[in-house]
Amino acid sequence: SYVLTQPPSVSVAPGKTARITCGGNNIGSNSVHWYQQQPGQAPVLVIYYDSDRPSGIPERFSGSNSGNTATLTISRVEAGDEADYYCQVWDSSSDHWVFGGGTKLTVL
Amino acid sequence: EVQLVESGGGLVKPGGSLRLSCAASGFTLSTYSMNWVRQAPGKGLEWVSSISSRTTYIYYGDSVKGRFTISRDNAKNSLYLQMNSLRAEDTAVYYCARDSEAAAGTGGHFSHWGQGTLVTVSS
């Protein structure tokens, strides 16, 4: 089955740039979606189809996807960005949705 | 405004059954695929099941296949998850999520999520 690998944690100082990776075999050939989950809250879509941003999501959030790695980039990080982030792809070989294990973003 | 409200969670003994519901409002349910995703305490997101807009295509995660059944009633604006032969490892918050597409399994994203309902399987 398809596996998505995320770092368990990423730390960044306020105002700096955070990059959260999502690794998978030839993930660049898949569409990747990203979700933010604040403690005790439901997930919220922050990036879809690799790099599109839903309305209401700040331009500070961006995404890219190539080769074996997709990346969620958060520029000018704020304290409110502290959350868990999950990547997601549809694995057409197994007809399964796959989530990465999640990355906890800590704002120092 | 799109709203998804889950209900039906609770405490159930191992081997028991439970039926979750998801009430949809603010959009035409028959236009979208729908999904169930769960999250065990302190763990990550796990996809459970997906159903296309007209119930043509249904998919299940390996850990629930054969025990859970997803269904929908577009006329009642509702999504369901029948859970049988429950195990301790099924303990989780269960979320319903609206897909961005009518057809399930086309790689669309989960654009809207409910707040979840907690299922606890314990003796």
Side-chain angles (χ1 to χ4, degrees):
Chain A
S1 60
Y2 196 75
V3 175
L4 295 176
T5 301
Q6 298 182 237
S9 62
V10 168
S11 298
V12 64
K16 300 299 186 181
T17 298
R19 293 180 179 84
I20 299 172
T21 59
C22 176
N25 185 35
N26 198 26
I27 194 174
S29 65
N30 293 285
S31 292
V32 179
H33 314 305
W34 290 91
Y35 302 88
Q36 175 195 68
Q37 187 178 33
Q38 304 278 5
Q41 303 283 326
V44 172
L45 179 73
V46 292
I47 292 289
Y48 63 101
Y49 294 135
D50 299 339
S51 58
D52 289 341
R53 202 174 44 252
S55 60
I57 300 300
E59 291 183 9
R60 302 183 295 105
F61 287 79
S62 62
S64 62
N65 183 20
S66 179
N68 293 318
T69 304
T71 303
L72 172 68
T73 301
I74 309 171
S75 305
R76 302 182 299 283
V77 167
E78 303 174 356
D81 298 331
E82 193 163 276
D84 294 324
Y85 292 85
Y86 296 90
C87 56
Q88 177 200 32
V89 301
W90 172 256
D91 178 23
S92 57
S93 65
S94 63
D95 286 341
H96 280 36
W97 278 108
V98 181
F99 285 99
T103 297
K104 181 176 180 57
L105 177 67
T106 299
V107 181
L108 301 170
Chain B
E1 179 193 4
V2 172
Q3 282 201 322
L4 298 168
V5 180
E6 302 92 338
S7 61
L11 176 63
V12 61
K13 290 181 168 53
S17 298
L18 212 54
R19 189 194 197 205
L20 305 184
S21 299
C22 173
S25 61
F27 67 100
T28 303
L29 184 66
S30 61
T31 309
Y32 297 94
S33 289
M34 295 295 293
N35 309 277
W36 288 100
V37 177
R38 69 184 182 183
Q39 186 170 36
K43 303 296 184 182
L45 301 176
E46 180 188 9
W47 169 71
V48 173
S49 183
S50 299
I51 183 169
S52 61
S53 61
R54 302 293 182 180
T55 317
T56 307
Y57 296 99
I58 290 176
Y59 305 102
Y60 295 101
D62 292 343
S63 61
V64 306
K65 193 169 186 177
R67 300 187 298 123
F68 290 11
T69 302
I70 191 172
S71 62
R72 63 193 295 161
D73 187 335
N74 289 336
K76 294 184 177 179
N77 294 313
S78 294
L79 174 73
Y80 306 103
L81 186 67
Q82 177 67 41
M83 305 186 296
N84 298 331
S85 303
L86 283 161
R87 308 165 179 166
E89 53 265 36
D90 295 318
T91 294
V93 173
Y94 285 73
Y95 296 100
C96 72
R98 195 193 85 173
D99 207 291
S100 59
E101 309 293 334
T106 55
H109 47 279
F110 296 2
S111 57
H112 297 81
W113 298 63
Q115 283 303 306
T117 186
L118 176 63
V119 172
T120 303
V121 184
S122 174
S123 55

